[in-house]
Amino acid sequence: MTAFLKREVARRVFAKELMNSTYTLKDESEKSPVYVLTPLGLKCNRVFIIGVLTEKGGRGEDGSIYRIRVVDQTGSFVGYVGRYQPEAYEALEDIDTLTLVALTAKVRVFEGETGKFVTLRPETISIADPESRDYWVMETAIQTLERIKEMEKGEKETARLAMEVYNTNLEEYKNAVREAIARVMEDYGEIGVEEEEEEEIEEEEFEVEEEEISFEEEEIDLTELLED
């Protein structure tokens, strides 16, 4: 008889929220995975992130483990990729620093000499494009704001536990979301200015690009969620 194990959902979370996490949860079952509880009450075992690979350094006597740092709009994630993660390891060998990457990873909390800290154990890494990164930022912003609202309500068990453990400053995370969204919108604003200054662009091409930007804005409406 073949046993099928359900894979944990890869959650979208900003670096600021995940890297401030120190608390772990485990169900009563012996084989249950360990979850990280974030300051906004997210219970996660795997994450999906998109950011810039800013560090790729070898660790270990034989250099068989890469220490990586991936930066998003709010901070940086730190992870380790070894040969026992062949798909991620082989992909990483061909990716230079300062490249935009997308990765799925397991999340772990370790306790060191100076305290607890979160690291990622990537399962897959691939090169990403700016449009995917921007969409990830907006999706992650929405999910972060939804968690903030759940924290304010205090009805969910994980939200109450997170507030008890971290005494979370919700305004701090609201501001982080606002700044992340503002950076993405600034990029689109710069594109708009460049388009206006380029007089030789054919009118038809401009209309197509304008429709694409409008579509993105309609898909993700953050107005209500950002209201205090």
Side-chain angles (χ1 to χ4, degrees), residues 62-80:
D62 57 357
S64 62
I65 298 177
Y66 284 117
R67 182 182 189 275
I68 65 169
R69 185 180 297 274
V70 177
V71 175
D72 74 359
Q73 306 285 331
T74 68
S76 62
F77 302 91
V78 174
Y80 294 89

Side-chain angles (χ1 to χ4, degrees), residues 137-204:
V137 170
M138 301 305 265
E139 278 191 314
T140 306
I142 289 173
Q143 294 180 22
T144 303
L145 290 170
E146 289 175 345
R147 289 197 289 276
I148 289 173
K149 285 194 175 293
E150 289 294 339
M151 292 286 287
E152 290 173 333
K153 292 177 183 174
E155 296 175 352
K156 289 181 64 174
E157 182 179 350
T158 52
R160 292 198 301 271
L161 179 59
M163 184 58 77
E164 179 182 335
V165 171
Y166 298 105
N167 191 25
T168 309
N169 182 342
L170 298 181
E171 288 302 319
E172 182 181 336
Y173 289 95
K174 285 182 183 178
N175 290 335
V177 171
R178 289 190 181 101
E179 291 174 7
I181 295 171
R183 290 180 184 176
V184 171
M185 299 311 293
E186 283 175 5
D187 291 342
Y188 280 104
E190 290 172 3
I191 291 173
V193 171
E194 291 173 1
E195 287 170 349
E196 289 177 3
E197 293 176 347
E198 185 57 67
E199 297 179 354
E200 296 181 357
I201 293 178
E202 294 183 8
E203 184 177 349
E204 183 177 349

Side-chain angles (χ1 to χ4, degrees), residues 10-21:
R11 308 292 183 179
R12 286 159 173 73
V13 56
F14 285 128
K16 180 178 179 60
E17 180 181 346
L18 184 66
M19 303 310 284
N20 281 338
S21 306

Side-chain angles (χ1 to χ4, degrees), residues 3-93:
F4 295 97
L5 298 177
K6 184 179 179 181
R7 203 170 195 187
E8 293 289 328
V9 175
R11 308 292 183 179
R12 286 159 173 73
V13 56
F14 285 128
K16 180 178 179 60
E17 180 181 346
L18 184 66
M19 303 310 284
N20 281 338
S21 306
T22 57
Y23 193 82
T24 56
L25 294 167
K26 190 176 187 305
D27 294 340
E28 294 181 356
S29 171
E30 184 178 344
K31 295 183 178 180
S32 171
V34 176
Y35 298 92
V36 173
L37 180 70
T38 72
L40 294 180
L42 175 66
K43 181 181 168 185
C44 65
N45 175 267
R46 296 173 71 239
V47 293
F48 171 70
I49 64 174
I50 297 180
V52 178
L53 177 69
T54 61
E55 179 183 332
K56 188 179 82 171
R59 290 290 186 275
E61 294 181 357
D62 57 357
S64 62
I65 298 177
Y66 284 117
R67 182 182 189 275
I68 65 169
R69 185 180 297 274
V70 177
V71 175
D72 74 359
Q73 306 285 331
T74 68
S76 62
F77 302 91
V78 174
Y80 294 89
V81 186
R83 293 185 186 279
Y84 46 85
Q85 303 146 265
E87 186 175 350
Y89 187 90
E90 291 174 11
L92 185 62
E93 286 190 303

Side-chain angles (χ1 to χ4, degrees), residues 89-104:
Y89 187 90
E90 291 174 11
L92 185 62
E93 286 190 303
D94 296 327
I95 300 176
D96 297 324
T97 55
L98 302 184
T99 299
L100 201 55
V101 295
L103 59 89
T104 56

